[in-house]
Short mmCIF file of all heavy atoms in Angstrom, two decimals:
data_model
loop_
_atom_site.label_atom_id
_atom_site.label_comp_id
_atom_site.label_asym_id
_atom_site.label_seq_id
_atom_site.Cartn_x
_atom_site.Cartn_y
_atom_site.Cartn_z
N HIS R 2 91.15 102.79 121.83
CA HIS R 2 90.79 101.90 122.91
C HIS R 2 90.57 100.48 122.44
O HIS R 2 90.45 100.21 121.25
CB HIS R 2 89.54 102.41 123.61
CG HIS R 2 88.37 102.54 122.68
ND1 HIS R 2 88.28 103.55 121.75
CD2 HIS R 2 87.27 101.79 122.52
CE1 HIS R 2 87.16 103.41 121.07
NE2 HIS R 2 86.53 102.35 121.51
N LEU R 3 90.54 99.61 123.42
CA LEU R 3 90.10 98.24 123.21
C LEU R 3 88.63 98.19 123.55
O LEU R 3 88.15 98.91 124.42
CB LEU R 3 90.83 97.32 124.18
CG LEU R 3 92.32 97.10 123.95
CD1 LEU R 3 92.85 96.18 125.03
CD2 LEU R 3 92.57 96.51 122.57
N THR R 4 87.93 97.33 122.86
CA THR R 4 86.52 97.19 123.18
C THR R 4 86.11 95.72 123.14
O THR R 4 86.59 94.97 122.29
CB THR R 4 85.64 98.01 122.22
OG1 THR R 4 84.26 97.73 122.50
CG2 THR R 4 85.91 97.65 120.76
N HIS R 5 85.24 95.35 124.05
CA HIS R 5 84.69 93.99 124.05
C HIS R 5 83.40 93.94 123.23
O HIS R 5 82.86 92.88 122.99
CB HIS R 5 84.42 93.51 125.49
CG HIS R 5 85.67 93.25 126.28
ND1 HIS R 5 86.18 91.99 126.47
CD2 HIS R 5 86.53 94.10 126.88
CE1 HIS R 5 87.29 92.07 127.19
NE2 HIS R 5 87.52 93.35 127.45
N GLU R 6 82.94 95.11 122.81
CA GLU R 6 81.70 95.19 122.02
C GLU R 6 82.04 95.29 120.53
O GLU R 6 83.14 95.73 120.19
CB GLU R 6 80.90 96.43 122.43
CG GLU R 6 80.54 96.48 123.90
CD GLU R 6 79.69 95.29 124.31
OE1 GLU R 6 78.76 94.94 123.55
OE2 GLU R 6 79.97 94.71 125.38
N PRO R 7 81.10 94.93 119.66
CA PRO R 7 81.35 95.10 118.22
C PRO R 7 81.72 96.55 117.89
O PRO R 7 81.18 97.49 118.50
CB PRO R 7 80.00 94.72 117.58
CG PRO R 7 79.39 93.77 118.55
CD PRO R 7 79.81 94.26 119.92
N ILE R 8 82.65 96.71 116.97
CA ILE R 8 83.06 98.06 116.56
C ILE R 8 81.99 98.66 115.66
O ILE R 8 81.62 98.07 114.65
CB ILE R 8 84.42 98.02 115.82
CG1 ILE R 8 85.52 97.49 116.74
CG2 ILE R 8 84.79 99.41 115.29
CD1 ILE R 8 86.87 97.30 116.05
N ASP R 9 81.49 99.81 116.04
CA ASP R 9 80.47 100.50 115.25
C ASP R 9 81.18 101.47 114.30
O ASP R 9 81.55 102.58 114.68
CB ASP R 9 79.52 101.26 116.20
CG ASP R 9 78.41 101.97 115.45
OD1 ASP R 9 78.52 102.16 114.21
OD2 ASP R 9 77.43 102.36 116.09
N LEU R 10 81.37 101.02 113.05
CA LEU R 10 82.15 101.82 112.11
C LEU R 10 81.52 103.17 111.81
O LEU R 10 82.21 104.18 111.67
CB LEU R 10 82.37 101.05 110.81
CG LEU R 10 83.24 99.79 110.95
CD1 LEU R 10 83.28 99.04 109.62
CD2 LEU R 10 84.64 100.14 111.41
N ALA R 11 80.20 103.19 111.73
CA ALA R 11 79.52 104.45 111.43
C ALA R 11 79.79 105.47 112.54
O ALA R 11 80.05 106.65 112.27
CB ALA R 11 78.02 104.22 111.26
N ALA R 12 79.76 105.00 113.78
CA ALA R 12 80.02 105.90 114.90
C ALA R 12 81.50 106.29 114.94
O ALA R 12 81.85 107.40 115.34
CB ALA R 12 79.60 105.24 116.22
N PHE R 13 82.35 105.36 114.52
CA PHE R 13 83.79 105.59 114.56
C PHE R 13 84.21 106.68 113.56
O PHE R 13 85.16 107.41 113.77
CB PHE R 13 84.51 104.27 114.25
CG PHE R 13 86.00 104.30 114.47
CD1 PHE R 13 86.52 104.46 115.75
CD2 PHE R 13 86.87 104.14 113.42
CE1 PHE R 13 87.89 104.47 115.96
CE2 PHE R 13 88.24 104.15 113.62
CZ PHE R 13 88.76 104.31 114.89
N LEU R 14 83.48 106.73 112.43
CA LEU R 14 83.75 107.74 111.40
C LEU R 14 83.26 109.10 111.87
O LEU R 14 82.20 109.56 111.46
CB LEU R 14 82.98 107.39 110.12
CG LEU R 14 83.62 106.47 109.11
CD1 LEU R 14 82.59 106.11 108.04
CD2 LEU R 14 84.84 107.10 108.47
#
Side-chain angles (χ1 to χ4, degrees):
Chain R
H2 58 286
L3 290 179
T4 175
H5 290 260
E6 302 300 316
I8 298 175
D9 182 343
L10 294 175
F13 189 66
L14 273 172

